[in-house]
Amino acid sequence: MTSRGRVAPAHAIALLPLTAGAVVCVLSAKHGVGDPLFYVLLVAAVLARLLTTTLERNLGLSASFLCGMLAIGFLDPLSAFLIPLVSEGVGWLAERYRPQALIINWAGSATPTALAAVGFQALTLRQEGATFPIVLGLFGAAVLLLNFFTVGSLMAMLDERPVLVTLGVPRDFYPTLGINIVITATLAALYAQTGLATIAFVLAVILAFGYMMRLVVVARERTREYANLSWGVLSS
């Protein structure tokens, strides 16, 4: 089968959960987009997508993901859907990778986040309760797993690779789960006890740290490239 024949099924399959997620979150919207927290999280998610991608790949900590999790706990499904949708869309405008991959990334991030918001809010947990941040962290783990399987399998179809190979969870993915669960629970508890100003400051610190770490990683990679180039010149 040609590459063109494989792109259409992956693209169509990704559109199904994306459309379903959009319908569900619109029907269950509760004025979350009017909350100042939504705009703080949206800006932080966009900046994280543009500035700290290298950190996310190396440490497994995603500030964009954390913003989506806070939207699940404190806003509504529509807000939880829009934050990853907009942040990944801005990332695509900056990087210009394949449009089919953008649809797949949306399906693997925006839809699971919105559906998690619907399920989490159905529990009607008290924000000040001890179980609230713990349960939110577990929902975050479920979102990460759904993202991993959705994006992995659909990208395998897009690239004409065996889908079954992508279904296994690698060992280095479990620390990512643990890190994001702990930080999600911590940020949720912090926001519930303090408020918007504190969570905005903490997100700014995370973004600043992520950006500095990104610069360190880029500088290290460039140093390694220069060293390899120098060695090649000396060898020749």
Side-chain angles (χ1 to χ4, degrees), residues 80-97:
F81 182 83
L82 288 176
I83 286 173
L85 188 81
V86 173
S87 61
E88 188 59 38
V90 173
W92 178 81
L93 289 175
E95 299 173 6
R96 292 292 183 177
Y97 57 84

PDB file of all heavy atoms in Angstrom, residues 80-97:
ATOM      1  N   ALA A  80     -10.381  22.566  29.262  1.00  0.00           N
ATOM      2  CA  ALA A  80      -9.398  21.480  29.212  1.00  0.00           C
ATOM      3  C   ALA A  80      -9.125  21.048  27.782  1.00  0.00           C
ATOM      4  O   ALA A  80      -8.025  20.582  27.472  1.00  0.00           O
ATOM      5  CB  ALA A  80      -9.906  20.295  30.038  1.00  0.00           C
ATOM      6  N   PHE A  81     -10.103  21.178  26.909  1.00  0.00           N
ATOM      7  CA  PHE A  81      -9.936  20.836  25.498  1.00  0.00           C
ATOM      8  C   PHE A  81      -9.149  21.909  24.758  1.00  0.00           C
ATOM      9  O   PHE A  81      -8.266  21.609  23.941  1.00  0.00           O
ATOM     10  CB  PHE A  81     -11.316  20.651  24.861  1.00  0.00           C
ATOM     11  CG  PHE A  81     -11.293  20.241  23.418  1.00  0.00           C
ATOM     12  CD1 PHE A  81     -11.141  18.907  23.065  1.00  0.00           C
ATOM     13  CD2 PHE A  81     -11.449  21.178  22.407  1.00  0.00           C
ATOM     14  CE1 PHE A  81     -11.130  18.523  21.732  1.00  0.00           C
ATOM     15  CE2 PHE A  81     -11.440  20.807  21.082  1.00  0.00           C
ATOM     16  CZ  PHE A  81     -11.287  19.470  20.735  1.00  0.00           C
ATOM     17  N   LEU A  82      -9.448  23.166  25.046  1.00  0.00           N
ATOM     18  CA  LEU A  82      -8.841  24.265  24.292  1.00  0.00           C
ATOM     19  C   LEU A  82      -7.365  24.465  24.615  1.00  0.00           C
ATOM     20  O   LEU A  82      -6.584  24.844  23.732  1.00  0.00           O
ATOM     21  CB  LEU A  82      -9.604  25.558  24.579  1.00  0.00           C
ATOM     22  CG  LEU A  82     -11.000  25.675  23.969  1.00  0.00           C
ATOM     23  CD1 LEU A  82     -11.673  26.960  24.418  1.00  0.00           C
ATOM     24  CD2 LEU A  82     -10.928  25.613  22.446  1.00  0.00           C
ATOM     25  N   ILE A  83      -6.957  24.217  25.847  1.00  0.00           N
ATOM     26  CA  ILE A  83      -5.565  24.491  26.233  1.00  0.00           C
ATOM     27  C   ILE A  83      -4.576  23.648  25.425  1.00  0.00           C
ATOM     28  O   ILE A  83      -3.655  24.198  24.809  1.00  0.00           O
ATOM     29  CB  ILE A  83      -5.383  24.308  27.748  1.00  0.00           C
ATOM     30  CG1 ILE A  83      -6.034  25.495  28.481  1.00  0.00           C
ATOM     31  CG2 ILE A  83      -3.904  24.213  28.132  1.00  0.00           C
ATOM     32  CD1 ILE A  83      -6.073  25.359  29.977  1.00  0.00           C
ATOM     33  N   PRO A  84      -4.702  22.315  25.364  1.00  0.00           N
ATOM     34  CA  PRO A  84      -3.785  21.558  24.507  1.00  0.00           C
ATOM     35  C   PRO A  84      -4.014  21.808  23.021  1.00  0.00           C
ATOM     36  O   PRO A  84      -3.070  21.759  22.226  1.00  0.00           O
ATOM     37  CB  PRO A  84      -4.065  20.096  24.877  1.00  0.00           C
ATOM     38  CG  PRO A  84      -5.413  20.096  25.488  1.00  0.00           C
ATOM     39  CD  PRO A  84      -5.572  21.425  26.150  1.00  0.00           C
ATOM     40  N   LEU A  85      -5.257  22.091  22.630  1.00  0.00           N
ATOM     41  CA  LEU A  85      -5.549  22.350  21.216  1.00  0.00           C
ATOM     42  C   LEU A  85      -4.803  23.590  20.735  1.00  0.00           C
ATOM     43  O   LEU A  85      -4.130  23.570  19.697  1.00  0.00           O
ATOM     44  CB  LEU A  85      -7.056  22.520  21.030  1.00  0.00           C
ATOM     45  CG  LEU A  85      -7.541  22.608  19.577  1.00  0.00           C
ATOM     46  CD1 LEU A  85      -7.643  21.208  18.970  1.00  0.00           C
ATOM     47  CD2 LEU A  85      -8.892  23.307  19.497  1.00  0.00           C
ATOM     48  N   VAL A  86      -4.919  24.669  21.494  1.00  0.00           N
ATOM     49  CA  VAL A  86      -4.284  25.932  21.091  1.00  0.00           C
ATOM     50  C   VAL A  86      -2.760  25.847  21.212  1.00  0.00           C
ATOM     51  O   VAL A  86      -2.032  26.285  20.314  1.00  0.00           O
ATOM     52  CB  VAL A  86      -4.825  27.103  21.938  1.00  0.00           C
ATOM     53  CG1 VAL A  86      -4.050  28.384  21.640  1.00  0.00           C
ATOM     54  CG2 VAL A  86      -6.302  27.308  21.666  1.00  0.00           C
ATOM     55  N   SER A  87      -2.267  25.281  22.306  1.00  0.00           N
ATOM     56  CA  SER A  87      -0.815  25.231  22.500  1.00  0.00           C
ATOM     57  C   SER A  87      -0.135  24.382  21.431  1.00  0.00           C
ATOM     58  O   SER A  87       0.913  24.768  20.900  1.00  0.00           O
ATOM     59  CB  SER A  87      -0.477  24.706  23.895  1.00  0.00           C
ATOM     60  OG  SER A  87      -0.963  23.388  24.071  1.00  0.00           O
ATOM     61  N   GLU A  88      -0.735  23.251  21.072  1.00  0.00           N
ATOM     62  CA  GLU A  88      -0.138  22.414  20.027  1.00  0.00           C
ATOM     63  C   GLU A  88      -0.282  23.070  18.662  1.00  0.00           C
ATOM     64  O   GLU A  88       0.601  22.941  17.810  1.00  0.00           O
ATOM     65  CB  GLU A  88      -0.780  21.028  20.016  1.00  0.00           C
ATOM     66  CG  GLU A  88      -0.090  20.036  19.103  1.00  0.00           C
ATOM     67  CD  GLU A  88       1.363  19.810  19.463  1.00  0.00           C
ATOM     68  OE1 GLU A  88       1.686  19.773  20.668  1.00  0.00           O
ATOM     69  OE2 GLU A  88       2.193  19.674  18.538  1.00  0.00           O
ATOM     70  N   GLY A  89      -1.391  23.800  18.462  1.00  0.00           N
ATOM     71  CA  GLY A  89      -1.559  24.520  17.207  1.00  0.00           C
ATOM     72  C   GLY A  89      -0.506  25.602  17.028  1.00  0.00           C
ATOM     73  O   GLY A  89       0.050  25.774  15.937  1.00  0.00           O
ATOM     74  N   VAL A  90      -0.207  26.330  18.097  1.00  0.00           N
ATOM     75  CA  VAL A  90       0.849  27.346  18.036  1.00  0.00           C
ATOM     76  C   VAL A  90       2.207  26.676  17.799  1.00  0.00           C
ATOM     77  O   VAL A  90       3.039  27.178  17.025  1.00  0.00           O
ATOM     78  CB  VAL A  90       0.867  28.178  19.330  1.00  0.00           C
ATOM     79  CG1 VAL A  90       2.072  29.116  19.355  1.00  0.00           C
ATOM     80  CG2 VAL A  90      -0.424  28.971  19.468  1.00  0.00           C
ATOM     81  N   GLY A  91       2.419  25.527  18.454  1.00  0.00           N
ATOM     82  CA  GLY A  91       3.657  24.791  18.212  1.00  0.00           C
ATOM     83  C   GLY A  91       3.800  24.377  16.765  1.00  0.00           C
ATOM     84  O   GLY A  91       4.897  24.436  16.189  1.00  0.00           O
ATOM     85  N   TRP A  92       2.697  23.978  16.160  1.00  0.00           N
ATOM     86  CA  TRP A  92       2.738  23.586  14.749  1.00  0.00           C
ATOM     87  C   TRP A  92       3.048  24.790  13.852  1.00  0.00           C
ATOM     88  O   TRP A  92       3.803  24.666  12.887  1.00  0.00           O
ATOM     89  CB  TRP A  92       1.395  22.978  14.345  1.00  0.00           C
ATOM     90  CG  TRP A  92       1.347  22.590  12.894  1.00  0.00           C
ATOM     91  CD1 TRP A  92       1.850  21.451  12.332  1.00  0.00           C
ATOM     92  CD2 TRP A  92       0.785  23.356  11.822  1.00  0.00           C
ATOM     93  NE1 TRP A  92       1.634  21.467  10.972  1.00  0.00           N
ATOM     94  CE2 TRP A  92       0.982  22.624  10.626  1.00  0.00           C
ATOM     95  CE3 TRP A  92       0.125  24.588  11.762  1.00  0.00           C
ATOM     96  CZ2 TRP A  92       0.541  23.085   9.401  1.00  0.00           C
ATOM     97  CZ3 TRP A  92      -0.303  25.050  10.521  1.00  0.00           C
ATOM     98  CH2 TRP A  92      -0.102  24.299   9.359  1.00  0.00           C
ATOM     99  N   LEU A  93       2.491  25.955  14.176  1.00  0.00           N
ATOM    100  CA  LEU A  93       2.787  27.147  13.391  1.00  0.00           C
ATOM    101  C   LEU A  93       4.273  27.492  13.441  1.00  0.00           C
ATOM    102  O   LEU A  93       4.834  28.006  12.465  1.00  0.00           O
ATOM    103  CB  LEU A  93       1.967  28.329  13.913  1.00  0.00           C
ATOM    104  CG  LEU A  93       0.459  28.286  13.633  1.00  0.00           C
ATOM    105  CD1 LEU A  93      -0.237  29.450  14.321  1.00  0.00           C
ATOM    106  CD2 LEU A  93       0.189  28.317  12.128  1.00  0.00           C
ATOM    107  N   ALA A  94       4.895  27.201  14.580  1.00  0.00           N
ATOM    108  CA  ALA A  94       6.324  27.503  14.723  1.00  0.00           C
ATOM    109  C   ALA A  94       7.196  26.456  14.043  1.00  0.00           C
ATOM    110  O   ALA A  94       8.240  26.783  13.473  1.00  0.00           O
ATOM    111  CB  ALA A  94       6.690  27.603  16.201  1.00  0.00           C
ATOM    112  N   GLU A  95       6.783  25.195  14.078  1.00  0.00           N
ATOM    113  CA  GLU A  95       7.626  24.109  13.589  1.00  0.00           C
ATOM    114  C   GLU A  95       7.252  23.625  12.196  1.00  0.00           C
ATOM    115  O   GLU A  95       8.089  23.062  11.482  1.00  0.00           O
ATOM    116  CB  GLU A  95       7.564  22.929  14.569  1.00  0.00           C
ATOM    117  CG  GLU A  95       8.073  23.293  15.957  1.00  0.00           C
ATOM    118  CD  GLU A  95       7.849  22.173  16.957  1.00  0.00           C
ATOM    119  OE1 GLU A  95       7.393  21.074  16.547  1.00  0.00           O
ATOM    120  OE2 GLU A  95       8.103  22.395  18.149  1.00  0.00           O
ATOM    121  N   ARG A  96       5.976  23.770  11.828  1.00  0.00           N
ATOM    122  CA  ARG A  96       5.497  23.386  10.498  1.00  0.00           C
ATOM    123  C   ARG A  96       5.777  21.921  10.164  1.00  0.00           C
ATOM    124  O   ARG A  96       6.296  21.599   9.102  1.00  0.00           O
ATOM    125  CB  ARG A  96       6.111  24.280   9.432  1.00  0.00           C
ATOM    126  CG  ARG A  96       5.640  25.720   9.497  1.00  0.00           C
ATOM    127  CD  ARG A  96       4.174  25.848   9.133  1.00  0.00           C
ATOM    128  NE  ARG A  96       3.741  27.239   9.135  1.00  0.00           N
ATOM    129  CZ  ARG A  96       2.519  27.643   8.787  1.00  0.00           C
ATOM    130  NH1 ARG A  96       1.617  26.742   8.445  1.00  0.00           N
ATOM    131  NH2 ARG A  96       2.201  28.923   8.819  1.00  0.00           N
ATOM    132  N   TYR A  97       5.470  21.025  11.092  1.00  0.00           N
ATOM    133  CA  TYR A  97       5.562  19.606  10.764  1.00  0.00           C
ATOM    134  C   TYR A  97       4.313  19.179   9.998  1.00  0.00           C
ATOM    135  O   TYR A  97       3.444  20.005   9.701  1.00  0.00           O
ATOM    136  CB  TYR A  97       5.792  18.770  12.021  1.00  0.00           C
ATOM    137  CG  TYR A  97       4.759  18.929  13.105  1.00  0.00           C
ATOM    138  CD1 TYR A  97       3.570  18.210  13.074  1.00  0.00           C
ATOM    139  CD2 TYR A  97       4.978  19.791  14.189  1.00  0.00           C
ATOM    140  CE1 TYR A  97       2.619  18.343  14.072  1.00  0.00           C
ATOM    141  CE2 TYR A  97       4.035  19.926  15.184  1.00  0.00           C
ATOM    142  CZ  TYR A  97       2.859  19.208  15.133  1.00  0.00           C
ATOM    143  OH  TYR A  97       1.920  19.337  16.115  1.00  0.00           O
TER     144      TYR A  97
END
